[in-house]
Amino acid sequence: MRSNERDFRKALWFAGMARWIPPIAFSAVAITIAFLAASRSGENGVTISSNLKKNHQLTAADLNIEVAAKYVGQYLKDDVSSGSALTDDMVTRKPIPDIPSGTMAAIIVLEKSAWDGLRLLTNDDVQLCLGENPFGGTTKVAAAACDEHFCDITVKLPPMTSVGADANAFANLSLVDAKLRKCATVSPAG
């Protein structure tokens, strides 16, 4: 009788344990699905719907998921593939200037009202200024990217006569229309 009783207790124990198999299996499947979904999309669930090139201005059609609205109108920093997760560090509010390889350039930050007052366009001639003094020769505006308050003006640097340049000097550069040739007309934003 003891053998039958022992067999009965074993069967009862296995039956008790077996009832936990479905919830454990369900939990494992749910965790696996959640992990796969999270690894497929970005930190915010937004993915790219097609292959896009660097500096492409995003539209709603380029993105999957409704939280994509915060990215519409921003610019890509690099090329991305379809299905790639989109994260905040992949976009910028202003376009990235397309500067040819081997070109030295500087970005001058001006208040938007000052830039608007200059009425300059891409490829217009400008004179870089360090205070009231001209800095190098005439150069060209490579790109201008503005938000509500400030503009990032990218200019090709003129040829330098000396090998070295003071990095602190670049921080204080401003620019004027090359036709005017009067430095100190516009001061850098700060």
Side-chain angles (χ1 to χ4, degrees), residues 85-165:
L86 182 65
T87 59
D88 291 346
D89 62 333
M90 295 170 64
V91 296
T92 179
R93 294 195 181 282
K94 298 176 186 176
I96 298 168
D98 188 20
I99 305 298
S101 178
T103 303
M104 287 192 60
I107 297 175
I108 313 282
V109 179
L110 298 176
E111 291 183 9
K112 187 172 183 337
S113 59
W115 173 247
D116 291 343
L118 287 171
R119 296 183 180 180
L120 293 170
L121 302 172
T122 301
N123 289 321
D124 280 353
D125 290 332
V126 292
Q127 172 65 54
L128 296 177
C129 300
L130 186 55
E132 294 184 17
N133 302 314
F135 183 85
T138 301
T139 189
K140 299 225 178 253
V141 173
C146 300
D147 60 21
E148 304 82 40
H149 306 288
F150 297 99
C151 294
D152 293 342
I153 314 304
T154 304
V155 295
K156 297 174 185 172
L157 290 175
M160 305 279 178
T161 55
S162 64
V163 177

